[in-house]
Amino acid sequence: MRIIVPLQGIVQGRGGLILGSLIPCALLYFFQFYLKRNRSSPPPDSPSASTANLPELTGIPRNSSRTSLPTRGSIRPVPVSSRATAIARDSDSAYYTGWKKYLEDPYHPTSNPDGIIQLGLSENHLSLDLIEEWLAANLQKSLLGEKRGDLSISGLATYEPLGGLMDLKIAMAGFMSQIMGGSVSFNPAQIILTAGATPAIEALSFCLADPGNAFLVPSPYYPGFDRDINLRTGIKLIPVHCRSSNNFSLSIAALEREYKQAKKRRIKVRAVLLCNPSNPVGNILHRETLYDLLSFVTDKNLHLISDEVYAGSTYGTEEFASIAELLDTGAFDNSRVHIIYGLSKDLSLPGFRVGAIYSYNENVISAVSKLTRFCAISLPTQHLLVSMLSDTKFIEEYLKVNRERLAQMYALFVDELKQLGVECFKSSGGFYCWVDMSKFLKSYSVKGELELWENILNVARVVVTPGASCHCIEPGWFRFCFTTVTERDVPLVMKRISKVLKDHKASQ
Amino acid sequence: MARGIRPGAPLSKIAVSKAHGEDSPYFAGWKAYDEDPYDAVSNPTGVIQMGLAENQVSFDLLEDYLEHHPETSSWGSGISSFKENALFQDYHGLQSFRKAMASFMEQIRGKRVKFDPDRMVLTAGATAANELLTFILADPGDVFLVPTPYYPGFDRDLQWRTGVKILPVHCHSSNGFQLTLASLQSAYSNAEASNFRVKGLLITNPSNPLGTAMSRSLLEEILDFVAEKNIHLISDEIYSGSVFSSPEFISVAELVETRRHETCEGIHIVYSLSKDLGLPGFRVGTIYSYNNRVVTTARRMSSFSLVSSQTQKMLASMLSDEEFTANYIRTNRERLRKRHSYIVEGLKDAGIECLKGNAGLFCWMNLTQMLEEKSMEGELRLWKMILNEVKLNVSPGSSCYCVEPGWFRVCFANMTEETLDVALRRLKVFVEKIKGRKKKMIS
């Protein structure tokens, strides 16, 4: 079964299985029709596979109980909303080929060496042993009322203050400061805690713009933004294309152009959204660029959202500077600046659902705090993290070792890919290589990119993310995550990919 | 925080709107408590919190369980189970946890129904569940019918970000504030006449703030009504485990199973562990839907409010321990029943009647005779007096959109018996004072 996804729909990293984008790509759909003759849709009520992780297209399992009897008696189904229709249609036509394939046949070095290797998920598996060790030593105390010194669930279970426990805000402020190398301090009163960075960015977006307004986003960008920011808010994302000729760095001139264009089309731009360190490119914005950005948003009276979830996952020689650093100088009105953070990347704890918004704007803090009623962090998790994040010695050691491991894996991947004749962009952070496979494309186009992507998936049996799903304007770039495999797996990965590359080179 | 010379980048309409409802007296009373909280030793004249529907009567059972089952709060030996859990952000939720929730919900309903774990969508609390369902079932500008009096948080949950509007279906003391088919029909007709698109009906069963469970015949009528109008039914059953006296709780799930000849595609249940298990801080809620499409789409949208994998793992073993849950449900009910009797007696002694209730963590008090003026203003004046002079935070009926002034919700499960005693004594004194004042005014 070959079903091609409008590839913005592949969302890795935040949200796991969650489908992304609502933004159609006409070319992708045409390509889909092109391949349709090879495509067979799954039957609507086929029983689900054994794992609970499978996306729902296979339907809910039938059993004899009343609970899953098909509709009888009513000719008119009760309607659902247009937002529900969009998220359903998007997934019906856009299937998680890569993710599903991986789940059906996941690679394992000993038990399933021929399985699909997952390099499309921006998760860090390299340093969880460090956290597990810490937990083994500290768990009992931290989970159940260490503060009271007894197993007191009543302290755990009552309604928490809006926006999270003050203790966790304090610990998070300290952690963020440690992450940023101590060059800036964060005020706990300006932190709002949420169940992950996904609801953080959505809640913030709800407060900064109305439906139909727009955010300018340097591209290529994280595919999940399309869902996180647009699905329920109705806010548009306008990509500001960055190019390889310019090292994929953001040009203020390009920003100006898109802003003017939007104005012409009578679209109200309300904010610029950055991801720094960036996903999928992995570059770090220079202080000068941040400064220019602050000037730009001040001039146009816009908000600036800086998503810094990878701030602690840097490994290059370039130094990371949070936007917070530039605000310390007092040269800019900081009421327009908001930072998104979370523990899914830097601390490898996506399952625990811990995110944060850091804002300098009282009204934003007040509004977002109320919105956390919909996305609060579970109290036992908060307590656990208060203990962990307050152990600054452990955090320091963890950050150091994790960075080393990231640097090592990154270097290994880059070297090995180079041996195959594949160049990578020089990244400084994140969990991925930004890989230039343009010279392997049979045609220098999105179609060509998707064809290569498909072969890497079906022939090499490796999941990677094509640049098209990240809105990259130049075809041929791919994101390969290197943090979900071990060093021992790398030769196999390269061997499999090289076969496909040889085929592609040969047919050129 | 710096403020610029210019007003700064503008915020959205949602950010500045008051649709979050937090300015209501319902929430304002909490603030008064926060500023001057009662403590038997350190602040005996402080405000006693009777406006928060929390269940604190059965914590010891949970603590006991956790103490005897340390594996609940650990990930077991070896890194792989921790690693798996730490990385688990699948919006399907842990299967073991969904199974445990389904089993717990079945037990609450005396095992008269079966819940399919694959129809369960997990959310960070019932607050998120109600909002999520609203996003899935209705578009901005659509309307949900909600019987009054209703939980004030619904304004925020159903309207704030979704753009959906609540159309209240008023209930009256003449029949014990029960919802009637006639009032539903009339509300629906009025909506149609005003060109509103009604997309669903939200009932809370057992009711907050009334503390009563719906009768089978009423539920049958409701199911007929929603089927006829082809609208959705959301049954918020978060207090289902706190039905402590007859009539027995009947869930829409039971009716769905008996009405086999009909479609149930428009039926959805909301549940949470915040009330029955007294764990609001854990943020565990669920949508149970009989509609495949709703399950699928709600699940995808639940990314914005997932339950911590750590919490799911912790609760999975506890909730699938049937011996524990059966004992918990039974004991919790009994303690609530006792507490309820105690407060009803105490209020009676103070000269206050309550609506006859059989569920929930609160009583619906009738203070209509104590109003100087039978109006909303009169009610709010009385509320302020009770808050500022008697130092009790109770919830005025107007914050629940009750059309008859003078009714108040008073919670009884979020404090010790001693504190409840203090509250009842204060109330008695206050009622006598008011009666005395009124006598003087008449004579």
Side-chain angles (χ1 to χ4, degrees):
Chain A
M1 177 168 67
R2 298 205 311 164
I3 298 175
I4 300 299
V5 165
L7 292 168
Q8 300 90 318
I10 301 175
V11 175
Q12 280 83 32
R14 277 186 217 147
L17 285 178
I18 296 128
L19 191 60
S21 168
L22 297 177
I23 298 178
C25 176
L27 282 172
L28 288 166
Y29 280 111
F30 289 141
F31 183 58
Q32 242 181 292
F33 294 141
Y34 166 76
L35 287 171
K36 204 172 181 182
R37 59 177 186 273
N38 293 323
R39 167 175 160 175
S40 61
S41 323
D45 286 297
S46 55
S48 77
S50 54
T51 154
N53 285 350
L54 265 188
E56 312 73 19
L57 194 59
T58 47
I60 287 163
R62 275 204 170 154
N63 54 45
S64 56
S65 108
R66 173 71 174 110
T67 54
S68 55
L69 276 173
T71 308
R72 281 184 290 171
S74 168
I75 14 168
R76 343 165 255 170
V78 197
V80 293
S81 71
S82 53
R83 279 175 282 217
T85 306
I87 205 175
R89 175 193 64 221
D90 213 54
S91 303
D92 288 343
S93 63
Y95 196 62
Y96 273 167
T97 314
W99 183 238
K100 184 178 185 239
K101 276 205 131 102
Y102 168 72
L103 287 175
E104 282 172 347
D105 188 18
Y107 166 80
H108 187 276
T110 47
S111 62
N112 191 17
D114 294 326
I116 309 258
I117 298 178
Q118 173 66 285
L119 299 187
L121 201 56
S122 186
E123 275 178 7
N124 181 4
H125 298 193
L126 304 180
S127 307
L128 278 162
D129 57 317
L130 302 174
I131 304 203
E132 205 263 345
E133 267 166 38
W134 184 91
L135 281 170
N138 296 274
L139 179 64
Q140 194 66 0
K141 279 191 291 179
S142 48
L143 184 57
L144 294 168
E146 183 212 289
K147 279 191 79 177
R148 308 248 211 124
D150 60 333
L151 279 179
S152 175
I153 201 169
S154 45
L156 270 190
T158 54
Y159 281 103
E160 58 195 272
L162 271 185
L165 291 177
M166 184 42 85
D167 278 350
L168 183 53
K169 292 184 185 184
I170 292 169
M172 183 67 88
F175 179 66
M176 285 168 72
S177 186
Q178 259 192 296
I179 291 265
M180 322 266 180
S183 53
V184 59
S185 71
F186 292 93
N187 174 8
Q190 290 168 241
I191 293 180
I192 306 129
L193 297 170
T194 58
T198 298
I201 190 120
E202 194 205 30
L204 182 61
S205 302
F206 263 114
C207 292
L208 302 185
D210 296 317
N213 293 163
F215 289 175
L216 297 174
V217 194
S219 79
Y221 63 77
Y222 161 58
F225 279 157
D226 290 328
R227 172 208 59 203
D228 296 352
I229 297 169
N230 172 269
L231 179 63
R232 306 195 297 189
T233 66
I235 296 169
K236 299 192 218 290
L237 291 183
I238 297 176
V240 181
H241 296 295
C242 304
R243 295 162 195 280
S244 56
S245 52
N246 191 24
N247 282 325
F248 289 102
S249 59
L250 177 59
S251 119
I252 300 293
L255 208 55
E256 286 270 5
R257 267 198 308 274
E258 290 299 340
Y259 180 81
K260 286 203 175 85
Q261 272 281 61
K263 217 172 173 183
K264 273 202 194 118
R265 283 149 51 206
R266 293 176 183 271
I267 297 173
K268 233 183 175 160
V269 173
R270 301 293 285 265
V272 174
L273 167 64
L274 303 174
C275 189
N276 179 29
S278 75
N279 177 6
V281 177
N283 54 9
I284 290 176
L285 273 69
H286 301 133
R287 281 186 177 80
E288 298 78 45
T289 314
L290 292 176
Y291 190 92
D292 290 339
L293 268 164
L294 283 167
S295 300
F296 176 82
V297 295
T298 303
D299 180 49
K300 309 283 189 271
N301 200 22
L302 305 176
H303 290 278
L304 181 62
I305 306 171
S306 184
D307 182 341
E308 302 186 351
V309 289
Y310 290 100
S313 303
T314 54
Y315 45 77
T317 46
E318 290 209 40
E319 196 190 62
F320 171 76
S322 164
I323 193 92
E325 247 188 75
L326 275 88
L327 293 172
D328 270 352
T329 63
F332 294 100
D333 166 20
N334 53 18
S335 74
R336 62 182 77 255
V337 179
H338 322 277
I339 298 171
I340 298 286
Y341 192 61
L343 301 184
S344 299
K345 308 297 176 187
D346 289 345
L347 221 52
S348 307
L349 302 172
F352 289 7
R353 314 313 303 146
V354 183
I357 299 157
Y358 189 83
S359 179
Y360 298 83
N361 186 315
E362 282 171 4
N363 295 325
V364 170
I365 292 172
S366 167
V368 175
S369 296
K370 296 184 174 83
L371 283 174
T372 63
R373 289 205 193 272
F374 300 111
C375 51
I377 304 178
S378 189
L379 221 43
T381 303
Q382 291 199 51
H383 281 280
L384 178 71
L385 289 168
V386 168
S387 301
M388 195 190 295
L389 298 182
S390 310
D391 188 344
T392 50
K393 249 187 95 196
F394 161 70
I395 295 293
E396 201 182 305
E397 180 65 18
Y398 171 87
L399 290 176
K400 177 166 148 279
V401 173
N402 184 45
R403 281 191 168 114
E404 282 164 9
R405 293 178 182 180
L406 286 173
Q408 226 172 322
M409 271 308 253
Y410 173 74
L412 181 60
F413 256 71
V414 169
D415 277 341
E416 295 290 316
L417 285 169
K418 197 165 191 162
Q419 313 267 353
L420 300 181
V422 177
E423 292 293 326
C424 294
F425 178 84
K426 191 165 188 313
S427 301
S428 312
F431 301 155
Y432 28 77
C433 299
W434 185 234
V435 182
D436 182 3
M437 313 242 268
S438 52
K439 60 186 195 233
F440 294 94
L441 298 184
K442 289 181 183 167
S443 73
Y444 187 70
S445 61
V446 173
K447 178 175 151 191
E449 177 181 295
L450 294 181
E451 204 180 322
L452 177 56
W453 170 77
E454 239 225 334
N455 285 333
I456 294 177
L457 177 61
N458 293 322
V459 178
R461 300 168 63 72
V462 176
V463 186
V464 296
T465 308
S469 35
C470 307
H471 303 269
C472 183
I473 193 101
E474 298 173 21
W477 289 88
F478 289 76
R479 189 190 75 169
F480 284 33
C481 293
F482 54 77
T483 46
T484 51
V485 292
T486 66
E487 278 188 37
R488 279 180 322 227
D489 302 319
V490 177
L492 178 60
V493 173
M494 299 302 155
K495 183 165 148 217
R496 290 194 191 178
I497 292 177
S498 72
K499 263 194 302 201
V500 170
L501 297 184
K502 283 199 180 87
D503 287 338
H504 272 249
K505 256 245 127 98
S507 63
Q508 275 175 352
Chain B
M1 275 173 279
R3 281 179 302 160
I5 315 163
R6 290 167 74 181
L11 300 190
S12 68
K13 296 196 178 89
I14 282 176
V16 302
S17 106
K18 297 290 179 190
H20 48 70
E22 307 246 344
D23 296 336
S24 132
Y26 182 84
F27 297 102
W30 294 6
K31 290 189 200 125
Y33 166 77
D34 284 338
E35 284 160 10
D36 182 19
Y38 170 83
D39 182 278
V41 173
S42 61
N43 190 18
T45 57
V47 175
I48 297 179
Q49 173 64 286
M50 306 189 89
L52 188 58
E54 261 187 22
N55 181 2
Q56 295 181 12
V57 305
S58 304
F59 274 142
D60 57 315
L61 301 176
L62 297 173
E63 280 174 348
D64 199 53
Y65 183 86
L66 287 169
E67 193 173 340
H68 290 104
H69 296 84
E71 72 278 8
T72 320
S73 47
S74 81
W75 280 273
S77 56
I79 187 190
S80 63
S81 68
F82 164 69
K83 180 173 165 178
E84 230 177 82
N85 188 245
L87 294 172
F88 186 82
Q89 51 175 333
D90 179 355
Y91 55 31
H92 286 78
L94 273 179
Q95 195 181 38
S96 57
F97 178 59
R98 280 182 287 117
K99 278 191 168 141
M101 280 286 274
S103 153
F104 185 63
M105 287 170 69
E106 284 169 3
Q107 275 196 300
I108 285 178
R109 290 156 183 76
K111 297 206 176 176
R112 293 183 298 273
V113 295
K114 232 147 152 56
F115 287 112
D116 179 355
D118 289 336
R119 290 194 171 282
M120 222 152 233
V121 176
L122 300 176
T123 60
T127 300
N130 281 319
E131 195 204 33
L132 179 53
L133 260 181
T134 306
F135 269 119
I136 294 289
L137 303 179
D139 285 310
D142 289 345
V143 158
F144 274 3
L145 300 175
V146 185
T148 69
Y150 65 74
Y151 160 58
F154 282 157
D155 284 343
R156 167 198 66 212
D157 301 347
L158 270 51
Q159 301 183 128
W160 192 14
R161 294 196 289 189
T162 61
V164 170
K165 284 261 144 336
I166 292 177
L167 200 66
V169 184
H170 291 300
C171 301
H172 305 274
S173 59
S174 50
N175 73 338
F177 292 100
Q178 284 182 79
L179 181 61
T180 65
L181 184 58
S183 54
L184 277 176
Q185 299 277 22
S186 139
Y188 187 89
S189 307
N190 288 339
E192 271 201 315
S194 316
N195 275 323
F196 286 128
R197 285 180 316 264
V198 178
K199 282 293 171 69
L201 165 64
L202 167 68
I203 59 172
T204 307
N205 179 30
S207 158
N208 174 12
L210 300 176
T212 55
M214 282 186 177
S215 69
R216 182 182 293 276
S217 54
L218 176 57
L219 284 171
E220 298 271 11
E221 283 184 324
I222 289 172
L223 285 185
D224 290 335
F225 172 77
V226 298
E228 186 214 331
K229 306 291 185 215
N230 201 31
I231 61 176
H232 291 278
L233 175 68
I234 302 175
S235 181
D236 185 333
E237 302 187 351
I238 66 170
Y239 292 102
S240 48
S242 71
V243 179
F244 44 76
S245 59
S246 67
E248 198 177 41
F249 172 66
I250 297 165
S251 163
V252 291
E254 279 183 62
L255 295 191
V256 163
E257 293 207 356
T258 52
R259 292 158 72 114
R260 295 176 152 267
H261 61 287
E262 273 197 22
T263 178
C264 52
E265 298 258 302
I267 314 286
H268 324 280
I269 297 172
V270 168
Y271 188 62
S272 142
L273 298 181
S274 301
K275 310 296 177 184
D276 291 344
L277 224 51
L279 300 173
F282 279 42
R283 310 316 299 142
V284 179
T286 183
I287 296 168
Y288 188 88
S289 176
Y290 293 93
N291 183 317
N292 288 0
R293 203 165 194 219
V294 171
V295 172
T296 306
T297 52
R299 191 187 275 145
R300 288 182 190 138
M301 219 184 256
S302 71
S303 314
F304 296 108
S305 52
L306 295 177
V307 179
S308 168
S309 56
Q310 167 198 7
T311 301
Q312 290 188 50
K313 191 172 172 101
M314 219 178 113
L315 294 175
S317 49
M318 187 170 89
L319 289 183
S320 32
D321 184 335
E322 286 203 14
E323 207 193 304
F324 166 73
T325 52
N327 179 51
Y328 179 91
I329 292 168
R330 195 177 40 240
T331 312
N332 182 51
R333 274 188 185 134
E334 183 49 33
R335 290 179 183 181
L336 287 175
R337 192 192 57 75
K338 279 206 179 103
R339 200 51 94 81
H340 176 261
S341 293
Y342 193 82
I343 194 179
V344 166
E345 283 303 307
L347 288 172
K348 199 168 184 173
D349 187 53
I352 295 173
E353 292 291 327
C354 290
L355 180 73
K356 186 159 171 10
N358 69 325
L361 310 173
F362 31 72
C363 294
W364 189 234
M365 283 195 302
N366 182 353
L367 301 184
T368 51
Q369 297 308 311
M370 292 176 56
L371 296 178
E372 277 173 11
E373 183 196 304
K374 281 203 168 29
S375 66
M376 289 309 154
E377 291 74 30
E379 178 185 284
L380 283 176
R381 272 198 295 271
L382 180 59
W383 171 68
K384 284 208 175 97
M385 252 197 274
I386 298 176
L387 185 59
N388 297 323
E389 291 176 28
V390 192
K391 304 290 211 77
L392 296 181
N393 178 39
V394 295
S395 311
S398 51
S399 64
C400 304
Y401 300 97
C402 182
V403 278
E404 295 177 26
W407 291 83
F408 289 75
R409 189 193 77 169
V410 59
C411 298
F412 57 73
N414 61 316
M415 66 200 68
T416 62
E417 262 191 43
E418 292 76 27
T419 308
L420 187 54
D421 268 336
V422 173
L424 288 169
R425 259 181 277 134
R426 289 186 190 177
L427 258 179
K428 185 169 182 173
V429 167
F430 176 70
V431 172
E432 274 164 15
K433 190 164 80 169
I434 297 288
K435 280 198 177 135
R437 263 192 223 163
K438 282 203 161 184
K439 273 207 183 111
K440 274 204 189 128
M441 280 166 56
I442 295 169
S443 63

